[in-house]
Amino acid sequence: MLGTIVNVLTIIAGTLLGTTFKNRFSENIKNTVMQGLSLTIMIIGISMAVKTENMLVLTLSIVIGGILGEIFKIEDRLNSFGKKLESGFQDESGNFTRAFVTASLMYCVGAMAVLGSIQSGLDGNHDILFVKSILDGTTAVVFSSTMGFGVAFSAIPVLLYQGAITLAASFVKDFLTTAVITEMSAAGGLLIFGIGINMLGINVTIKVGNLLPAIFVAIAMAMLFVHLPF
């Protein structure tokens, strides 16, 4: 669990640093930085998504994952949890729940969270999660300087999500072939692209939370298609 604990601490540290200096920047600077970060996140997501080797797997993963997400109302549950946390804290920016949900999705979506947690649980090698910690801590500084202290609480789902995968690592290691990792990363990349769109604040909201199951559906789809005779 060391890698996940370090990840959690860097998110909190990055948030504290970002909120400390956020009042030194004008709203125009904050908005421009957020837009730039949004575009960067979209590029990262697309670069991951286009590496899919089977567009049908990616499509089915998103469709089935979206249906599952809507059934379990993942996005609503994240928002509800964020609002409960918000009720106990004063956030003058009014962005507590948005910051919590956006950061939580960003830090949990992607192959590094899954693969790093598995590697950590199997052989105690935390290198991937240490690299992820640096990235998450850096983005926490930017997120919190524009959206507020709610970013710090994204450490809770990161701890639960990555911790659960670490503990279950021995049960899933044999399933993660190169093909499976590729399709899982592609699905995660598409979700990251959706996060970037939401961060731009245009007149459309993609329920990225409800699409989260797509990552795990991609694992099942990739395994299935590997064994099909075509």
Side-chain angles (χ1 to χ4, degrees), residues 88-136:
F89 296 88
Q90 294 296 324
D91 182 14
E92 68 277 7
S93 69
N95 284 328
F96 188 102
T97 301
R98 176 174 174 245
F100 166 74
V101 173
T102 300
S104 295
L105 292 172
M106 187 65 196
Y107 297 148
C108 290
V109 169
M112 290 186 77
V114 177
L115 297 178
S117 299
I118 290 172
Q119 186 182 60
S120 180
L122 286 179
D123 53 24
N125 187 333
H126 311 294
D127 289 350
I128 294 178
L129 288 185
F130 286 160
V131 173
K132 181 177 181 292
S133 298
I134 296 172
L135 297 174
D136 291 354

mmCIF file of all heavy atoms in Angstrom, residues 88-136:
data_model
loop_
_atom_site.group_PDB
_atom_site.id
_atom_site.type_symbol
_atom_site.label_atom_id
_atom_site.label_comp_id
_atom_site.label_asym_id
_atom_site.label_seq_id
_atom_site.Cartn_x
_atom_site.Cartn_y
_atom_site.Cartn_z
ATOM 1 N N GLY A 88 -19.550 20.274 5.231
ATOM 2 C CA GLY A 88 -18.732 20.419 6.433
ATOM 3 C C GLY A 88 -17.580 21.395 6.271
ATOM 4 O O GLY A 88 -16.815 21.599 7.209
ATOM 5 N N PHE A 89 -17.470 22.005 5.102
ATOM 6 C CA PHE A 89 -16.356 22.911 4.842
ATOM 7 C C PHE A 89 -16.846 24.164 4.122
ATOM 8 O O PHE A 89 -17.779 24.134 3.343
ATOM 9 C CB PHE A 89 -15.280 22.225 3.979
ATOM 10 C CG PHE A 89 -14.622 21.062 4.661
ATOM 11 C CD1 PHE A 89 -15.179 19.786 4.565
ATOM 12 C CD2 PHE A 89 -13.471 21.235 5.407
ATOM 13 C CE1 PHE A 89 -14.579 18.713 5.187
ATOM 14 C CE2 PHE A 89 -12.871 20.172 6.032
ATOM 15 C CZ PHE A 89 -13.419 18.901 5.928
ATOM 16 N N GLN A 90 -16.178 25.251 4.427
ATOM 17 C CA GLN A 90 -16.493 26.500 3.761
ATOM 18 C C GLN A 90 -15.589 26.637 2.538
ATOM 19 O O GLN A 90 -14.370 26.543 2.638
ATOM 20 C CB GLN A 90 -16.263 27.694 4.711
ATOM 21 C CG GLN A 90 -17.214 27.732 5.896
ATOM 22 C CD GLN A 90 -18.660 27.937 5.463
ATOM 23 O OE1 GLN A 90 -18.943 28.661 4.518
ATOM 24 N NE2 GLN A 90 -19.576 27.293 6.172
ATOM 25 N N ASP A 91 -16.182 26.828 1.391
ATOM 26 C CA ASP A 91 -15.405 26.992 0.157
ATOM 27 C C ASP A 91 -15.957 28.193 -0.590
ATOM 28 O O ASP A 91 -16.991 28.123 -1.231
ATOM 29 C CB ASP A 91 -15.508 25.736 -0.704
ATOM 30 C CG ASP A 91 -14.671 25.829 -1.978
ATOM 31 O OD1 ASP A 91 -13.820 26.737 -2.047
ATOM 32 O OD2 ASP A 91 -14.876 25.005 -2.878
ATOM 33 N N GLU A 92 -15.227 29.297 -0.474
ATOM 34 C CA GLU A 92 -15.732 30.545 -1.043
ATOM 35 C C GLU A 92 -15.862 30.494 -2.555
ATOM 36 O O GLU A 92 -16.599 31.287 -3.143
ATOM 37 C CB GLU A 92 -14.800 31.709 -0.644
ATOM 38 C CG GLU A 92 -13.410 31.681 -1.269
ATOM 39 C CD GLU A 92 -12.435 30.775 -0.509
ATOM 40 O OE1 GLU A 92 -12.888 30.084 0.411
ATOM 41 O OE2 GLU A 92 -11.232 30.782 -0.841
ATOM 42 N N SER A 93 -15.182 29.563 -3.193
ATOM 43 C CA SER A 93 -15.258 29.493 -4.660
ATOM 44 C C SER A 93 -16.543 28.845 -5.132
ATOM 45 O O SER A 93 -16.955 29.013 -6.272
ATOM 46 C CB SER A 93 -14.061 28.699 -5.202
ATOM 47 O OG SER A 93 -14.166 27.335 -4.854
ATOM 48 N N GLY A 94 -17.184 28.080 -4.262
ATOM 49 C CA GLY A 94 -18.419 27.393 -4.637
ATOM 50 C C GLY A 94 -18.194 26.230 -5.583
ATOM 51 O O GLY A 94 -19.122 25.721 -6.191
ATOM 52 N N ASN A 95 -16.941 25.799 -5.690
ATOM 53 C CA ASN A 95 -16.601 24.730 -6.632
ATOM 54 C C ASN A 95 -16.189 23.440 -5.945
ATOM 55 O O ASN A 95 -15.555 22.582 -6.563
ATOM 56 C CB ASN A 95 -15.448 25.183 -7.547
ATOM 57 C CG ASN A 95 -15.902 26.159 -8.618
ATOM 58 O OD1 ASN A 95 -17.030 26.091 -9.084
ATOM 59 N ND2 ASN A 95 -15.029 27.063 -8.977
ATOM 60 N N PHE A 96 -16.510 23.285 -4.667
ATOM 61 C CA PHE A 96 -16.022 22.140 -3.903
ATOM 62 C C PHE A 96 -16.381 20.815 -4.569
ATOM 63 O O PHE A 96 -15.514 19.980 -4.819
ATOM 64 C CB PHE A 96 -16.595 22.182 -2.478
ATOM 65 C CG PHE A 96 -16.010 21.143 -1.553
ATOM 66 C CD1 PHE A 96 -15.046 21.487 -0.616
ATOM 67 C CD2 PHE A 96 -16.427 19.817 -1.607
ATOM 68 C CE1 PHE A 96 -14.497 20.536 0.228
ATOM 69 C CE2 PHE A 96 -15.892 18.855 -0.770
ATOM 70 C CZ PHE A 96 -14.925 19.215 0.148
ATOM 71 N N THR A 97 -17.671 20.606 -4.856
ATOM 72 C CA THR A 97 -18.116 19.333 -5.426
ATOM 73 C C THR A 97 -17.521 19.118 -6.808
ATOM 74 O O THR A 97 -17.075 18.012 -7.140
ATOM 75 C CB THR A 97 -19.648 19.281 -5.511
ATOM 76 O OG1 THR A 97 -20.194 19.435 -4.194
ATOM 77 C CG2 THR A 97 -20.123 17.964 -6.095
ATOM 78 N N ARG A 98 -17.495 20.170 -7.621
ATOM 79 C CA ARG A 98 -16.898 20.070 -8.964
ATOM 80 C C ARG A 98 -15.432 19.690 -8.869
ATOM 81 O O ARG A 98 -14.946 18.835 -9.630
ATOM 82 C CB ARG A 98 -17.053 21.401 -9.697
ATOM 83 C CG ARG A 98 -16.375 21.432 -11.064
ATOM 84 C CD ARG A 98 -16.684 22.710 -11.802
ATOM 85 N NE ARG A 98 -15.926 22.798 -13.047
ATOM 86 C CZ ARG A 98 -14.991 23.700 -13.293
ATOM 87 N NH1 ARG A 98 -14.705 24.624 -12.385
ATOM 88 N NH2 ARG A 98 -14.348 23.730 -14.435
ATOM 89 N N ALA A 99 -14.711 20.315 -7.936
ATOM 90 C CA ALA A 99 -13.288 20.015 -7.761
ATOM 91 C C ALA A 99 -13.093 18.571 -7.316
ATOM 92 O O ALA A 99 -12.224 17.859 -7.832
ATOM 93 C CB ALA A 99 -12.674 20.965 -6.731
ATOM 94 N N PHE A 100 -13.916 18.130 -6.373
ATOM 95 C CA PHE A 100 -13.813 16.766 -5.855
ATOM 96 C C PHE A 100 -14.071 15.730 -6.949
ATOM 97 O O PHE A 100 -13.289 14.791 -7.134
ATOM 98 C CB PHE A 100 -14.800 16.571 -4.698
ATOM 99 C CG PHE A 100 -15.002 15.127 -4.314
ATOM 100 C CD1 PHE A 100 -14.028 14.438 -3.619
ATOM 101 C CD2 PHE A 100 -16.176 14.459 -4.655
ATOM 102 C CE1 PHE A 100 -14.203 13.105 -3.274
ATOM 103 C CE2 PHE A 100 -16.365 13.138 -4.319
ATOM 104 C CZ PHE A 100 -15.367 12.446 -3.624
ATOM 105 N N VAL A 101 -15.168 15.892 -7.685
ATOM 106 C CA VAL A 101 -15.548 14.919 -8.711
ATOM 107 C C VAL A 101 -14.539 14.916 -9.863
ATOM 108 O O VAL A 101 -14.086 13.848 -10.303
ATOM 109 C CB VAL A 101 -16.967 15.203 -9.239
ATOM 110 C CG1 VAL A 101 -17.296 14.292 -10.414
ATOM 111 C CG2 VAL A 101 -17.987 15.011 -8.128
ATOM 112 N N THR A 102 -14.164 16.097 -10.346
ATOM 113 C CA THR A 102 -13.224 16.193 -11.462
ATOM 114 C C THR A 102 -11.887 15.557 -11.122
ATOM 115 O O THR A 102 -11.342 14.753 -11.892
ATOM 116 C CB THR A 102 -13.005 17.664 -11.870
ATOM 117 O OG1 THR A 102 -14.250 18.252 -12.269
ATOM 118 C CG2 THR A 102 -12.010 17.764 -13.028
ATOM 119 N N ALA A 103 -11.345 15.909 -9.955
ATOM 120 C CA ALA A 103 -10.046 15.372 -9.550
ATOM 121 C C ALA A 103 -10.124 13.863 -9.291
ATOM 122 O O ALA A 103 -9.219 13.115 -9.659
ATOM 123 C CB ALA A 103 -9.540 16.103 -8.303
ATOM 124 N N SER A 104 -11.212 13.421 -8.666
ATOM 125 C CA SER A 104 -11.370 11.988 -8.373
ATOM 126 C C SER A 104 -11.357 11.167 -9.655
ATOM 127 O O SER A 104 -10.679 10.136 -9.749
ATOM 128 C CB SER A 104 -12.677 11.737 -7.614
ATOM 129 O OG SER A 104 -12.662 12.346 -6.350
ATOM 130 N N LEU A 105 -12.107 11.622 -10.643
ATOM 131 C CA LEU A 105 -12.159 10.915 -11.924
ATOM 132 C C LEU A 105 -10.802 10.943 -12.620
ATOM 133 O O LEU A 105 -10.334 9.935 -13.144
ATOM 134 C CB LEU A 105 -13.226 11.530 -12.820
ATOM 135 C CG LEU A 105 -14.684 11.340 -12.361
ATOM 136 C CD1 LEU A 105 -15.623 12.162 -13.229
ATOM 137 C CD2 LEU A 105 -15.069 9.871 -12.409
ATOM 138 N N MET A 106 -10.158 12.093 -12.590
ATOM 139 C CA MET A 106 -8.872 12.237 -13.262
ATOM 140 C C MET A 106 -7.835 11.309 -12.665
ATOM 141 O O MET A 106 -7.041 10.676 -13.390
ATOM 142 C CB MET A 106 -8.400 13.694 -13.146
ATOM 143 C CG MET A 106 -7.147 14.007 -13.945
ATOM 144 S SD MET A 106 -7.412 13.852 -15.733
ATOM 145 C CE MET A 106 -5.715 13.786 -16.294
ATOM 146 N N TYR A 107 -7.821 11.189 -11.352
ATOM 147 C CA TYR A 107 -6.792 10.396 -10.689
ATOM 148 C C TYR A 107 -7.077 8.890 -10.720
ATOM 149 O O TYR A 107 -6.164 8.086 -10.571
ATOM 150 C CB TYR A 107 -6.633 10.850 -9.235
ATOM 151 C CG TYR A 107 -6.169 12.278 -9.094
ATOM 152 C CD1 TYR A 107 -6.566 13.061 -8.017
ATOM 153 C CD2 TYR A 107 -5.350 12.864 -10.051
ATOM 154 C CE1 TYR A 107 -6.141 14.372 -7.889
ATOM 155 C CE2 TYR A 107 -4.933 14.178 -9.938
ATOM 156 C CZ TYR A 107 -5.333 14.927 -8.845
ATOM 157 O OH TYR A 107 -4.908 16.232 -8.735
ATOM 158 N N CYS A 108 -8.343 8.515 -10.906
ATOM 159 C CA CYS A 108 -8.696 7.090 -10.896
ATOM 160 C C CYS A 108 -8.786 6.489 -12.292
ATOM 161 O O CYS A 108 -8.686 5.269 -12.446
ATOM 162 C CB CYS A 108 -10.032 6.879 -10.165
ATOM 163 S SG CYS A 108 -9.939 7.166 -8.380
ATOM 164 N N VAL A 109 -9.006 7.329 -13.292
ATOM 165 C CA VAL A 109 -9.113 6.847 -14.673
ATOM 166 C C VAL A 109 -7.709 6.723 -15.260
ATOM 167 O O VAL A 109 -6.879 7.599 -15.082
ATOM 168 C CB VAL A 109 -9.954 7.816 -15.530
ATOM 169 C CG1 VAL A 109 -9.830 7.472 -16.996
ATOM 170 C CG2 VAL A 109 -11.403 7.758 -15.099
ATOM 171 N N GLY A 110 -7.469 5.646 -15.952
ATOM 172 C CA GLY A 110 -6.180 5.475 -16.610
ATOM 173 C C GLY A 110 -5.447 4.224 -16.170
ATOM 174 O O GLY A 110 -5.690 3.675 -15.099
ATOM 175 N N ALA A 111 -4.540 3.817 -17.009
ATOM 176 C CA ALA A 111 -3.847 2.551 -16.779
ATOM 177 C C ALA A 111 -2.875 2.621 -15.605
ATOM 178 O O ALA A 111 -2.632 1.616 -14.936
ATOM 179 C CB ALA A 111 -3.098 2.136 -18.042
ATOM 180 N N MET A 112 -2.297 3.789 -15.355
ATOM 181 C CA MET A 112 -1.300 3.886 -14.292
ATOM 182 C C MET A 112 -1.895 3.533 -12.934
ATOM 183 O O MET A 112 -1.229 2.893 -12.107
ATOM 184 C CB MET A 112 -0.692 5.293 -14.247
ATOM 185 C CG MET A 112 0.197 5.617 -15.426
ATOM 186 S SD MET A 112 1.025 7.222 -15.265
ATOM 187 C CE MET A 112 2.313 6.810 -14.101
ATOM 188 N N ALA A 113 -3.127 3.945 -12.695
ATOM 189 C CA ALA A 113 -3.768 3.641 -11.413
ATOM 190 C C ALA A 113 -3.945 2.144 -11.237
ATOM 191 O O ALA A 113 -3.687 1.588 -10.160
ATOM 192 C CB ALA A 113 -5.120 4.353 -11.312
ATOM 193 N N VAL A 114 -4.375 1.474 -12.314
ATOM 194 C CA VAL A 114 -4.628 0.028 -12.245
ATOM 195 C C VAL A 114 -3.327 -0.762 -12.242
ATOM 196 O O VAL A 114 -3.074 -1.580 -11.348
ATOM 197 C CB VAL A 114 -5.518 -0.424 -13.422
ATOM 198 C CG1 VAL A 114 -5.722 -1.930 -13.377
ATOM 199 C CG2 VAL A 114 -6.861 0.294 -13.379
ATOM 200 N N LEU A 115 -2.476 -0.502 -13.230
ATOM 201 C CA LEU A 115 -1.233 -1.269 -13.354
ATOM 202 C C LEU A 115 -0.285 -1.002 -12.189
ATOM 203 O O LEU A 115 0.370 -1.924 -11.685
ATOM 204 C CB LEU A 115 -0.541 -0.935 -14.676
ATOM 205 C CG LEU A 115 -1.317 -1.297 -15.944
ATOM 206 C CD1 LEU A 115 -0.530 -0.875 -17.179
ATOM 207 C CD2 LEU A 115 -1.591 -2.789 -15.981
ATOM 208 N N GLY A 116 -0.210 0.254 -11.767
ATOM 209 C CA GLY A 116 0.648 0.594 -10.636
ATOM 210 C C GLY A 116 0.211 -0.088 -9.359
ATOM 211 O O GLY A 116 1.038 -0.580 -8.578
ATOM 212 N N SER A 117 -1.093 -0.143 -9.148
ATOM 213 C CA SER A 117 -1.630 -0.789 -7.949
ATOM 214 C C SER A 117 -1.382 -2.293 -7.974
ATOM 215 O O SER A 117 -1.067 -2.907 -6.945
ATOM 216 C CB SER A 117 -3.135 -0.506 -7.827
ATOM 217 O OG SER A 117 -3.378 0.878 -7.711
ATOM 218 N N ILE A 118 -1.520 -2.894 -9.158
ATOM 219 C CA ILE A 118 -1.277 -4.330 -9.296
ATOM 220 C C ILE A 118 0.201 -4.653 -9.046
ATOM 221 O O ILE A 118 0.532 -5.584 -8.302
ATOM 222 C CB ILE A 118 -1.696 -4.818 -10.688
ATOM 223 C CG1 ILE A 118 -3.224 -4.781 -10.814
ATOM 224 C CG2 ILE A 118 -1.183 -6.231 -10.956
ATOM 225 C CD1 ILE A 118 -3.735 -5.069 -12.201
ATOM 226 N N GLN A 119 1.083 -3.861 -9.640
ATOM 227 C CA GLN A 119 2.520 -4.070 -9.447
ATOM 228 C C GLN A 119 2.899 -3.882 -7.978
ATOM 229 O O GLN A 119 3.702 -4.641 -7.423
ATOM 230 C CB GLN A 119 3.302 -3.085 -10.311
ATOM 231 C CG GLN A 119 4.817 -3.317 -10.302
ATOM 232 C CD GLN A 119 5.554 -2.305 -11.134
ATOM 233 O OE1 GLN A 119 5.479 -1.102 -10.878
ATOM 234 N NE2 GLN A 119 6.289 -2.760 -12.141
ATOM 235 N N SER A 120 2.289 -2.910 -7.346
ATOM 236 C CA SER A 120 2.544 -2.649 -5.932
ATOM 237 C C SER A 120 2.115 -3.821 -5.069
ATOM 238 O O SER A 120 2.800 -4.215 -4.117
ATOM 239 C CB SER A 120 1.806 -1.373 -5.504
ATOM 240 O OG SER A 120 2.033 -1.096 -4.138
ATOM 241 N N GLY A 121 0.960 -4.394 -5.399
ATOM 242 C CA GLY A 121 0.439 -5.498 -4.600
ATOM 243 C C GLY A 121 1.154 -6.809 -4.838
ATOM 244 O O GLY A 121 1.282 -7.626 -3.919
ATOM 245 N N LEU A 122 1.652 -7.016 -6.060
ATOM 246 C CA LEU A 122 2.269 -8.302 -6.399
ATOM 247 C C LEU A 122 3.689 -8.444 -5.865
ATOM 248 O O LEU A 122 4.037 -9.457 -5.245
ATOM 249 C CB LEU A 122 2.277 -8.493 -7.914
ATOM 250 C CG LEU A 122 0.937 -8.828 -8.572
ATOM 251 C CD1 LEU A 122 1.114 -8.949 -10.069
ATOM 252 C CD2 LEU A 122 0.376 -10.127 -8.006
ATOM 253 N N ASP A 123 4.531 -7.450 -6.139
ATOM 254 C CA ASP A 123 5.933 -7.610 -5.774
ATOM 255 C C ASP A 123 6.514 -6.439 -4.984
ATOM 256 O O ASP A 123 7.734 -6.343 -4.809
ATOM 257 C CB ASP A 123 6.787 -7.861 -7.024
ATOM 258 C CG ASP A 123 6.576 -6.801 -8.104
ATOM 259 O OD1 ASP A 123 6.155 -5.682 -7.760
ATOM 260 O OD2 ASP A 123 6.834 -7.087 -9.286
ATOM 261 N N GLY A 124 5.641 -5.541 -4.527
ATOM 262 C CA GLY A 124 6.119 -4.422 -3.720
ATOM 263 C C GLY A 124 6.870 -3.367 -4.513
ATOM 264 O O GLY A 124 7.556 -2.512 -3.943
ATOM 265 N N ASN A 125 6.753 -3.406 -5.838
ATOM 266 C CA ASN A 125 7.397 -2.407 -6.693
ATOM 267 C C ASN A 125 6.419 -1.238 -6.880
ATOM 268 O O ASN A 125 5.384 -1.384 -7.517
ATOM 269 C CB ASN A 125 7.755 -3.031 -8.044
ATOM 270 C CG ASN A 125 8.570 -2.088 -8.920
ATOM 271 O OD1 ASN A 125 8.483 -0.873 -8.794
ATOM 272 N ND2 ASN A 125 9.359 -2.638 -9.821
ATOM 273 N N HIS A 126 6.789 -0.084 -6.349
ATOM 274 C CA HIS A 126 5.877 1.063 -6.352
ATOM 275 C C HIS A 126 6.251 2.119 -7.394
ATOM 276 O O HIS A 126 5.745 3.245 -7.344
ATOM 277 C CB HIS A 126 5.861 1.717 -4.963
ATOM 278 C CG HIS A 126 5.663 0.754 -3.834
ATOM 279 N ND1 HIS A 126 4.492 0.046 -3.658
ATOM 280 C CD2 HIS A 126 6.492 0.376 -2.828
ATOM 281 C CE1 HIS A 126 4.600 -0.717 -2.583
ATOM 282 N NE2 HIS A 126 5.807 -0.543 -2.067
ATOM 283 N N ASP A 127 7.139 1.765 -8.332
ATOM 284 C CA ASP A 127 7.667 2.768 -9.260
ATOM 285 C C ASP A 127 6.578 3.486 -10.052
ATOM 286 O O ASP A 127 6.602 4.709 -10.193
ATOM 287 C CB ASP A 127 8.650 2.107 -10.246
ATOM 288 C CG ASP A 127 9.948 1.692 -9.571
ATOM 289 O OD1 ASP A 127 10.152 2.086 -8.411
ATOM 290 O OD2 ASP A 127 10.747 0.968 -10.190
ATOM 291 N N ILE A 128 5.617 2.721 -10.590
ATOM 292 C CA ILE A 128 4.556 3.339 -11.398
ATOM 293 C C ILE A 128 3.728 4.305 -10.546
ATOM 294 O O ILE A 128 3.414 5.423 -10.981
ATOM 295 C CB ILE A 128 3.642 2.260 -12.019
ATOM 296 C CG1 ILE A 128 4.418 1.426 -13.041
ATOM 297 C CG2 ILE A 128 2.427 2.912 -12.705
ATOM 298 C CD1 ILE A 128 3.605 0.305 -13.670
ATOM 299 N N LEU A 129 3.386 3.881 -9.345
ATOM 300 C CA LEU A 129 2.582 4.754 -8.472
ATOM 301 C C LEU A 129 3.382 5.956 -7.988
ATOM 302 O O LEU A 129 2.812 7.021 -7.756
ATOM 303 C CB LEU A 129 2.051 3.961 -7.276
ATOM 304 C CG LEU A 129 0.939 2.954 -7.588
ATOM 305 C CD1 LEU A 129 0.408 2.324 -6.301
ATOM 306 C CD2 LEU A 129 -0.216 3.610 -8.349
ATOM 307 N N PHE A 130 4.693 5.817 -7.863
ATOM 308 C CA PHE A 130 5.507 6.969 -7.489
ATOM 309 C C PHE A 130 5.507 8.011 -8.612
ATOM 310 O O PHE A 130 5.414 9.216 -8.358
ATOM 311 C CB PHE A 130 6.944 6.528 -7.179
ATOM 312 C CG PHE A 130 7.099 5.817 -5.861
ATOM 313 C CD1 PHE A 130 8.197 5.018 -5.610
ATOM 314 C CD2 PHE A 130 6.143 5.953 -4.858
ATOM 315 C CE1 PHE A 130 8.348 4.361 -4.396
ATOM 316 C CE2 PHE A 130 6.278 5.301 -3.643
ATOM 317 C CZ PHE A 130 7.381 4.505 -3.408
ATOM 318 N N VAL A 131 5.622 7.542 -9.855
ATOM 319 C CA VAL A 131 5.548 8.465 -10.999
ATOM 320 C C VAL A 131 4.169 9.105 -11.062
ATOM 321 O O VAL A 131 4.037 10.325 -11.277
ATOM 322 C CB VAL A 131 5.859 7.722 -12.313
ATOM 323 C CG1 VAL A 131 5.620 8.636 -13.515
ATOM 324 C CG2 VAL A 131 7.295 7.218 -12.317
ATOM 325 N N LYS A 132 3.130 8.296 -10.872
ATOM 326 C CA LYS A 132 1.761 8.815 -10.866
ATOM 327 C C LYS A 132 1.583 9.839 -9.750
ATOM 328 O O LYS A 132 0.873 10.843 -9.920
ATOM 329 C CB LYS A 132 0.763 7.670 -10.676
ATOM 330 C CG LYS A 132 -0.710 8.104 -10.669
ATOM 331 C CD LYS A 132 -1.631 6.894 -10.559
ATOM 332 C CE LYS A 132 -3.096 7.317 -10.586
ATOM 333 N NZ LYS A 132 -3.509 8.073 -9.395
ATOM 334 N N SER A 133 2.224 9.615 -8.629
ATOM 335 C CA SER A 133 2.130 10.542 -7.504
ATOM 336 C C SER A 133 2.662 11.920 -7.869
ATOM 337 O O SER A 133 2.075 12.951 -7.504
ATOM 338 C CB SER A 133 2.901 9.986 -6.299
ATOM 339 O OG SER A 133 2.362 8.768 -5.856
ATOM 340 N N ILE A 134 3.789 11.931 -8.592
ATOM 341 C CA ILE A 134 4.370 13.210 -9.025
ATOM 342 C C ILE A 134 3.409 13.937 -9.961
ATOM 343 O O ILE A 134 3.173 15.152 -9.826
ATOM 344 C CB ILE A 134 5.726 12.973 -9.718
ATOM 345 C CG1 ILE A 134 6.739 12.385 -8.723
ATOM 346 C CG2 ILE A 134 6.261 14.270 -10.317
ATOM 347 C CD1 ILE A 134 8.038 11.952 -9.366
ATOM 348 N N LEU A 135 2.838 13.195 -10.926
ATOM 349 C CA LEU A 135 1.892 13.792 -11.865
ATOM 350 C C LEU A 135 0.647 14.298 -11.149
ATOM 351 O O LEU A 135 0.181 15.419 -11.403
ATOM 352 C CB LEU A 135 1.505 12.764 -12.934
ATOM 353 C CG LEU A 135 2.634 12.261 -13.841
ATOM 354 C CD1 LEU A 135 2.132 11.139 -14.741
ATOM 355 C CD2 LEU A 135 3.197 13.393 -14.676
ATOM 356 N N ASP A 136 0.101 13.479 -10.251
ATOM 357 C CA ASP A 136 -1.120 13.859 -9.532
ATOM 358 C C ASP A 136 -0.875 15.047 -8.611
ATOM 359 O O ASP A 136 -1.726 15.936 -8.485
ATOM 360 C CB ASP A 136 -1.648 12.677 -8.712
ATOM 361 C CG ASP A 136 -2.199 11.560 -9.592
ATOM 362 O OD1 ASP A 136 -2.265 11.753 -10.822
ATOM 363 O OD2 ASP A 136 -2.571 10.511 -9.040
#
